Amino acid sequence: MNNTIQYKGYVGSVEFSEENGVFYGKVMGIRSLISYEGENAKELLDDFHGAIDDYLETCKTEGKEPEIAFKGSFNVRLSPELHKKLFIYATAHQISINKYIEDTLADSPAAQITLV
């Protein structure tokens, strides 16, 4: 079972409450709270789509830019020793640390995931 859903560039979680007998979730990667629920998969997806559409319409009405979760930039914390090694390697190969990390991650299993 996939525990995420996607719509218009947004990714939402999929959870199940045994106590309430409903599926629910929230949009991940943004500060705004966008939540949704449904008693079955179709209701969950319909509510997810409606919540995203409502969010985008509200932003448009208020003249705000909608939040974008995946801008292509994130912070990575690592040890000073590894940071130094990356710097030395990248400098020796005349590339930036960012380019080295991007190339390395592009070959990872996570990069092979197909987005819809």
Side-chain angles (χ1 to χ4, degrees):
M1 177 177 160
N2 192 352
N3 60 353
T4 61
I5 50 181
Q6 299 177 47
Y7 180 64
K8 294 188 176 180
Y10 292 92
V11 177
S13 63
V14 176
E15 306 286 337
F16 180 72
S17 169
E18 187 174 351
E19 180 180 326
N20 298 322
V22 297
F23 292 95
Y24 67 94
K26 67 179 183 175
V27 174
M28 301 182 295
I30 63 174
R31 285 176 277 157
S32 296
L33 176 60
I34 304 172
S35 60
Y36 43 88
E37 68 178 47
E39 292 186 7
N40 57 50
K42 180 174 180 357
E43 286 183 11
L44 180 76
L45 283 173
D46 288 347
D47 202 40
F48 174 58
H49 292 179
I52 296 295
D53 290 339
D54 288 348
Y55 170 70
L56 295 173
E57 186 59 37
T58 299
C59 288
K60 183 178 178 181
T61 300
E62 295 177 358
K64 294 181 185 177
E65 280 294 315
E67 289 183 70
I68 299 171
F70 308 104
K71 300 174 187 167
S73 174
F74 64 95
N75 291 326
V76 177
R77 298 194 191 336
L78 39 91
S79 71
E81 182 180 337
L82 181 56
H83 189 176
K84 182 177 180 181
K85 288 178 180 180
L86 289 172
F87 174 80
I88 292 169
Y89 180 88
T91 301
H93 290 85
Q94 299 180 344
I95 59 173
S96 68
I97 292 175
N98 282 341
K99 178 68 174 149
Y100 173 74
I101 292 170
E102 182 176 4
D103 290 349
T104 301
L105 292 176
D107 291 335
S108 75
Q112 308 312 312
I113 294 173
T114 303
L115 300 176
V116 288

